[in-house]
């Protein structure tokens, strides 16, 4: 029953504090501290709980950041090349008489230049995914339109005979 008493930990704490006080007044200076006593100063608190960065960790973090940057840069260049390759198929002119190929390339260049200095990894990833998705959708629509045009041409050829 004494073990379940809520006053038991408080009594233990008092005993440990009295032991600490008595031990610190003796000449042999025995220091016994409990976890619940806490640090004496703010500096001690910070020293105990803050993670200390070594120069090696900073170098590793910088290397990891460069590697991520290099991989996203590589992905961005790959996406830009894919856009240039895909625009070859858009040969017809728009309402102003400019080939869609040139319009699409100009817009892609402008968007890449606007996002050139973006450093937030989430934003860069979102832009890359959005760009890949847009290229794929444009190519899918182009293929669908080509199939429709070929089917119409085949129907006209068959009907014309």
């Amino acid at each position: 029953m004494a073990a379940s008493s809520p006053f038991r930990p408080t009594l233990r704490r008092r005993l440990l504090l009295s032991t600490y006080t008595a031990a610190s007044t003796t000449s042999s200076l025995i220091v016994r501290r409990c976890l619940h006593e806490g640090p004496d100063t703010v500096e001690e608190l910070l020293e105990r709980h803050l993670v200390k960065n070594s120069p090696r960790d900073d170098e590793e973090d910088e290397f990891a950041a460069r590697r991520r940057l290099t991989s996203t840069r590589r992905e961005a260049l790959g996406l830009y090349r894919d856009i240039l390759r895909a625009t070859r198929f858009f040969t017809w002119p728009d309402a102003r008489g400019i080939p869609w190929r040139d319009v699409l390339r100009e817009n892609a260049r402008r968007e890449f230049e606007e996002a050139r200095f973006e450093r937030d990894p989430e934003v860069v990833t979102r832009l890359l995914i959005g760009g890949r998705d847009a290229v794929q959708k444009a190519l899918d629509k182009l293929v669908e339109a080509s199939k429709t045009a070929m089917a119409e041409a085949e129907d006209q050829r068959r009907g014309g005979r």
Side-chain angles (χ1 to χ4, degrees):
M1 190 186 244
S4 64
S5 171
F7 301 109
R8 189 86 171 142
T10 307
L11 179 61
R12 180 182 168 103
R13 185 181 314 149
R14 269 191 264 150
L15 287 173
L16 287 172
L17 285 174
S18 64
T19 304
Y20 173 72
T21 313
S24 64
T25 58
T26 64
S27 62
S28 61
L29 190 63
I30 301 170
V31 177
R32 206 173 144 188
R33 300 189 75 173
C34 292
L35 290 175
H36 60 273
E37 285 181 43
D40 293 332
T41 63
V42 174
E43 289 81 19
E44 187 179 337
L45 173 74
L46 293 174
E47 186 177 314
R48 277 190 196 177
H49 296 288
L50 288 179
V51 176
K52 295 172 182 72
N53 288 335
S54 66
R56 189 174 187 194
D57 289 340
D58 291 339
E59 290 173 4
E60 289 173 4
D61 292 342
E62 184 179 337
F63 179 71
R66 281 187 180 180
R67 187 172 54 228
R68 274 194 308 272
L69 182 65
T70 302
S71 67
T72 54
R73 182 174 288 151
R74 191 178 311 127
E75 287 182 49
L77 287 172
L79 173 61
Y80 190 73
R81 288 184 195 114
D82 288 345
I83 291 171
L84 292 180
R85 285 185 204 114
T87 56
R88 284 187 267 174
F89 302 111
F90 294 85
T91 57
W92 59 92
D94 66 352
R96 297 173 295 171
I98 302 171
W100 272 106
R101 173 189 63 238
D102 297 339
V103 173
L104 293 172
R105 286 179 179 180
E106 184 179 307
N107 288 338
R109 175 68 181 205
R110 184 177 37 80
E111 287 187 31
F112 272 82
E113 284 295 327
E114 288 172 1
R116 182 178 188 175
F117 297 106
E118 184 62 52
R119 296 289 181 222
D120 185 14
E122 288 183 29
V123 174
V124 171
T125 303
R126 191 177 313 127
L127 289 169
L128 288 171
I129 291 171
R132 291 259 178 228
D133 192 39
V135 169
Q136 191 60 45
K137 283 182 183 178
L139 288 176
D140 290 344
K141 286 181 181 180
L142 179 68
V143 168
E144 193 63 37
S146 296
K147 285 181 181 178
T148 304
M150 287 174 47
E152 287 176 2
E154 185 67 28
D155 287 344
Q156 285 180 356
R157 192 176 57 88
R158 286 185 185 167
R161 282 187 191 181

